[in-house]
Amino acid sequence: MLHRWILSIFAILLSIILTACNTNNTQQPQAQSTQNIATSNTSSQELPKVSAKRVVTLSSLTTDIISQLDQTKLVGISGSTLFKNDPRFHDIPRVSEGQSPPNLEKILALKPDLVIGAEGFSNQPIQQIQQLGISTLLTQVNRWKSLEDVTKELAQLIDVNPQSLLERYQSFLPEEPRTNTSTLVLVSSQPILAPNKNSWAGDLLEKFQVKNLAAELQGQSPISGYVTLSAEKVLEANPEVIILITPPQGGSETAILESFKKEGFWQKLRATQNNRIYVFDYYGLINPGSIDAIKKTCEQLKQNLLS
């Protein structure tokens, strides 16, 4: 089940985010981006010369950023489980749901002056929207700096000051990270996938001065910014801490743990023997997802690795 997720949803979502993350809003792989740092990109003719007042967002992260900057500018968003119970978005029309492509008729009916998508995920609809003469923006977030850069660019486009939001981001990070704990983030068990430094997860671990044992590894994984590990390689690394990831479609911590306990190497690891196995949500650590998801992940990193 996890294997299917990695090769399907992960290859689609991570294409967007990991494309930005790797260098893949979240929302992840253009699976094979050659970019090292994902920043926002715009079509040469599209950026509005005046403040955008009617914005449609096609990714959860940009939806959240625009909402935090100026909620009144949002007229349409893509559906996301992250915002299912968020009152901020109850009355805003959805132009897509799940993995379905955006409905162009719905977007046009909202009369936007700016449509924002995610590189590697929204390219085709964004191109179609451009052809209709509507200003567009494609974003990629694969590093903390690209999160800040995209936020500044969006703020400029809707003519607001991003400083308070940028300061909020900074508050998520530890003032004096004091850990060099050897860590492996294992995204799936079959195959065993781990993020290297060219991913959102890898960059975030670096912000916390966590020793990511896969940081410098390179491999043939179909997902940019991720490497496939053998059981022997995991045993050789023998991390002090292991972080497991719940899949984006949901799943219990117990099910995630059980999938790894079946592996012969599992009980031989220091992290297992010292009970330092932690389960993190996909949104926040693998895919930035939303500001709140990033905040929760940072809080969990502080609690589990810095305390």
Side-chain angles (χ1 to χ4, degrees):
M1 184 173 181
L2 283 177
H3 180 61
R4 178 185 299 177
W5 160 53
I6 294 300
L7 297 182
S8 59
I9 294 181
F10 214 49
I12 296 174
L13 294 181
L14 271 181
S15 251
I16 310 167
I17 285 187
L18 293 182
T19 289
C21 278
N22 295 324
T23 41
N24 136 187
N25 159 292
T26 114
Q27 325 135 223
Q28 295 124 359
Q30 171 178 318
Q32 281 65 40
S33 171
T34 57
Q35 230 173 305
N36 291 322
I37 299 178
T39 56
S40 52
N41 297 307
T42 59
S43 201
S44 58
Q45 67 177 36
E46 281 3 290
L47 277 184
K49 295 181 174 59
V50 296
S51 171
K53 294 178 172 58
R54 298 182 62 81
V55 180
V56 170
T57 52
L58 305 181
S59 73
S60 59
L61 183 57
T62 55
T63 294
D64 204 7
I65 292 173
I66 293 292
S67 175
Q68 299 286 343
L69 292 171
D70 186 348
Q71 174 80 8
T72 67
K73 301 294 175 67
L74 272 178
V75 298
I77 65 174
S78 58
S80 172
T81 56
L82 291 171
F83 304 137
K84 186 177 180 180
N85 299 313
D86 193 324
R88 291 179 298 163
F89 306 112
H90 281 175
D91 298 325
I92 300 179
R94 269 56 171 173
V95 298
S96 68
E97 290 291 346
Q99 296 304 306
S100 62
N103 186 310
L104 294 181
E105 290 185 2
K106 287 184 178 180
I107 293 174
L108 291 176
L110 295 170
K111 299 181 179 179
D113 48 23
L114 176 63
V115 179
I116 305 168
E119 179 68 43
F121 185 72
S122 310
N123 296 55
Q124 184 173 353
I126 285 293
Q127 184 178 18
Q128 294 173 314
I129 292 166
Q130 285 177 2
Q131 293 171 351
L132 297 172
I134 298 171
S135 297
T136 62
L137 176 72
L138 282 173
T139 63
Q140 294 180 321
V141 174
N142 74 328
R143 296 176 182 269
W144 194 269
K145 185 180 185 302
S146 60
L147 171 66
E148 296 175 327
D149 289 346
V150 166
T151 298
K152 292 174 186 176
E153 184 165 16
L154 296 180
Q156 181 180 10
L157 289 172
I158 63 174
D159 195 23
V160 299
N161 188 334
Q163 192 56 38
S164 61
L165 186 53
L166 294 172
E167 290 174 358
R168 186 182 173 202
Y169 294 163
Q170 200 61 34
S171 73
F172 300 164
L173 300 175
E175 293 182 8
E176 296 182 18
R178 299 191 190 92
T179 183
N180 195 30
T181 307
S182 63
T183 303
L184 271 180
V185 177
L186 302 181
V187 179
S188 68
S189 58
Q190 295 183 0
I192 303 172
L193 280 184
N196 63 20
K197 64 181 180 180
N198 297 320
S199 64
W200 167 262
D203 189 66
L204 190 56
L205 292 177
E206 188 175 338
K207 286 287 183 185
F208 280 76
Q209 293 187 14
V210 173
K211 186 178 180 181
N212 176 13
L213 297 178
E216 301 298 330
L217 298 181
Q218 301 296 325
Q220 300 301 314
S221 169
I223 302 171
S224 176
Y226 285 72
V227 294
T228 302
L229 301 179
S230 64
E232 292 74 19
K233 193 70 175 179
V234 176
L235 270 174
E236 179 185 338
N238 200 12
E240 298 172 80
V241 168
I242 289 178
I243 295 175
L244 305 181
I245 305 298
T246 59
Q249 68 270 29
S252 69
E253 291 189 12
T254 301
I256 304 303
L257 285 166
E258 288 301 320
S259 69
F260 281 95
K261 286 181 179 179
K262 296 174 183 178
E263 302 293 336
F265 63 81
W266 189 250
Q267 297 302 328
K268 301 176 184 178
L269 300 173
R270 283 187 296 173
T272 305
Q273 295 168 357
N274 296 327
N275 197 30
R276 298 205 68 185
I277 309 294
Y278 305 111
V279 181
F280 280 58
D281 195 89
Y282 168 82
Y283 292 108
L285 186 56
I286 302 304
N287 179 329
S290 71
I291 296 170
D292 190 49
I294 296 169
K295 178 184 178 182
K296 288 179 179 177
T297 292
C298 290
E299 289 174 345
Q300 193 173 356
L301 285 170
K302 290 176 184 177
Q303 178 182 351
N304 294 156
L305 277 74
L306 301 186
S307 59

